[in-house]
């Protein structure tokens, strides 16, 4: 039986047993057919579980558009794929979409099968996390820090909610409960003492056998609770990941003996040794769990001191262990591809290949973190890295990239959403598409972005230390003044809306702010320094007034400009 849903004279047919996400697909198709002005036509949504959770097929039959896919998310992905790729609808953010006018539903000459490159696609983009509908439209299928509504498809991580925030080992053995009676279960620090502070100074003592037994017993309790609560949709992954920002795991004598077996260099611990220590613990846990729950996987980090795989020929992850490799932000320049020969980024690319020699169960936690709001783009790194990961068959892609007023955040996030689906897309065409948000100034903004890409590539930080401290040669006075002139040409383009003008004002403000910081160091540039301050404040205030933000944030954003100006213009003299 088919149920017809009609809006703007377009009929969307769904099965009588349609899932919530399939009903969402029907709603979205009806809404956007109405927005496009299409006055007639039929779209049929069909269930086909053979395409996997994410795949879909688009076709036409006798003038009817047919979208086939899974109940979980396939049909929903297909609906958004049809609207975007065939109808020309674009979603750039929760506050910016473009919908063309059309007279009829576009038809397909032949069936098209689509499967995203990564099974799991997730970006730590606040706009997606706060607006799950936008995440679904961009076909990001995981939102690990905020619960999803299953009308946009289930959370495909399938991770127990207690553990999916990462840094989770101490949730199984909380120091508040155990440290008083069992301090030996927790890590020994450089001072030779056990630590029970609930932070990264208090890892577990992974070599302690009694601790391992209690950990296993507690994990079994959680698994049993999950299966009692959700007998048909219980979690399949339990996250056993170390605490944050830890430079070591445990320095007790017994752990040091284990570390020495796996470390590549004498007297070290982060060259595979800490990972070997962790992997002995996780492997033992995984074997015992597999005997009781063969469908459960244990996921653990390769992060900071555990990032490098153990010494060759010593230990490898059990089949039900997943390695979550983290491209730690201090080690690689996120404006350049990981696989950049002769560059320090190459070490990270080699590290992934090293892990893949030990296991195919590798997932990616990538980073694109910002210290300040200076103008920066990363399209070439995003595109090349997506291709690098996809070519190696890696199934899950998570990008951590918090918003700190960086002016091209929307562009970077848009590129991730597109390239995590299809890494073979042309990055220049994607940039041109995203530049539509600047209205009539799109060509000028595309040129400015091209200039940024060039100087980032040709004048990058030469050492890891320079990158970590953001001592970037391309942020020179000459480059920033040229970029400011290019952005000004875009800003002065006739016919811009208030919103488009504010979008261009954002990189203008960031560029002038960087010039304030550069010119402050040159006592001969007093006039230019004063001018840069005026321009930065002018454009920053326009962004605070007209840019996209919650109304409650506008007053705070305006006040922050005055605070930053005061800090940037402070002069320290000898007392």
């Amino acid at each position: 039986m088919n149920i017809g849903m009609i809006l703007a004279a377009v009929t969307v047919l769904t099965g009588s047993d349609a899932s919530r996400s399939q009903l969402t697909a029907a709603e979205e198709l009806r809404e956007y057919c109405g927005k496009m002005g299409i006055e007639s036509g039929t779209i049929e949504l069909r269930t086909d579980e053979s395409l996997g959770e994410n795949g879909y097929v688009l076709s036409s039959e006798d003038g009817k558009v047919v979208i086939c896919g899974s109940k979980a998310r396939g049909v929903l992905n297909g609906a958004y794929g049809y609207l975007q790729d065939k109808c020309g609808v674009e979603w750039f953010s929760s506050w910016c979409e473009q919908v063309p006018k059309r007279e009829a539903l576009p038809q397909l000459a032949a069936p098209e099968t689509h499967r995203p490159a990564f099974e799991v696609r997730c970006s730590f983009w606040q706009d997606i996390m706060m607006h799950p509908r936008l995440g679904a439209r961009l076909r990001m299928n995981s939102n690990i820090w905020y619960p999803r509504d299953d009308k946009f498809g289930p959370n495909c991580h399938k991770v127990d909610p207690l553990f999916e925030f990462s840094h989770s080992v101490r949730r199984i053995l909380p120091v508040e409960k155990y440290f008083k009676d069992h301090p030996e279960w927790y890590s020994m620090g450089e001072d030779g003492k056990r630590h029970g502070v609930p932070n990264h100074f208090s890892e577990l003592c992974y070599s302690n056998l009694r601790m391992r037994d209690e950990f296993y017993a507690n994990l079994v309790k959680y698994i049993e609770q999950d299966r009692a609560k959700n007998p048909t949709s219980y979690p399949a992954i339990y996250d056993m990941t170390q605490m944050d920002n830890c430079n070591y795991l445990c320095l007790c004598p017994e752990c040091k003996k284990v570390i020495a077996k796996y470390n590549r260099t004498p007297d070290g611990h982060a060259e595979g040794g800490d990972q070997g220590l962790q992997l002995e613990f996780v492997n033992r846990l995984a074997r015992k769990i597999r005997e009781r729950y063969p469908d459960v996987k244990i996921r653990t980090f390769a992060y900071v001191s555990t990032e490098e795989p153990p010494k060759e020929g010593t230990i490898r992850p059990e089949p039900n262990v997943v390695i979550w490799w983290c491209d730690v932000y201090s080690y690689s320049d996120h404006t350049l591809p990981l696989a950049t020969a002769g560059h320090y980024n190459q070490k990270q690319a080699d590290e992934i290949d090293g892990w893949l020699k030990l296991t195919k169960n590798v997932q990616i936690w990538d980073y694109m973190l910002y210290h300040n709001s200076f103008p920066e783009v990363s399209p070439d790194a995003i595109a090349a890295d997506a291709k690098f990961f996809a070519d190696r068959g890696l199934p899950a892609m998570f990008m951590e990239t918090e918003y700190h007023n960086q002016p091209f955040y929307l562009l970077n996030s848009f590129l991730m959403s597109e390239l995590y689906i299809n890494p073979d897309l042309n990055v220049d065409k994607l940039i041109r598409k995203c530049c539509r948000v600047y209205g009539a100034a799109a060509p000028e903004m595309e040129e400015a972005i091209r200039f940024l890409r060039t100087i980032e590539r040709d004048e990058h930080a030469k050492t890891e230390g320079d990158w970590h401290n953001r001592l970037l040669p391309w942020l020179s006075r000459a480059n920033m003044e040229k970029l400011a002139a290019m952005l000004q040409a875009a800003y002065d383009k006739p016919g811009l809306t208030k919103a488009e003008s504010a979008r261009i004002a954002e990189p203008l403000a960031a560029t002038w702010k960087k010039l304030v910081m550069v010119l402050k160091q040159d006592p001969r540039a007093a006039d230019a320094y004063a001018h840069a301050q005026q321009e930065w404040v002018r454009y920053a205030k326009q962004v605070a007034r007209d840019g996209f933000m919650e109304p409650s944030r506008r007053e705070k954003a305006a006040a922050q400009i005055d605070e930053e100006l005061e800090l940037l213009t402070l002069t320290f003299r000898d007392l």
Side-chain angles (χ1 to χ4, degrees), residues 167 242-245 301-307 326 328-329 367:
H167 309 303
Q242 69 207 59
M243 303 305 291
D244 203 5
N245 296 318
F301 267 160
Y303 175 64
V304 191
S305 72
T306 65
E307 190 173 328
C326 305
V328 177
Y329 31 86
Y367 292 90

Side-chain angles (χ1 to χ4, degrees), residues 354-369:
W355 273 112
L356 288 171
K357 292 176 182 177
L358 300 179
T359 178
K360 297 305 179 186
N361 294 333
V362 177
Q363 298 182 357
I364 298 298
W365 183 319
D366 208 353
Y367 292 90
M368 193 175 291
L369 302 185

Side-chain angles (χ1 to χ4, degrees), residues 58 87 207 239 338 363 409 456 467 485 493:
L58 304 178
C87 299
S207 64
D239 206 55
L338 289 179
Q363 298 182 357
Y409 190 79
E456 288 174 358
W467 167 253
K493 197 77 180 282

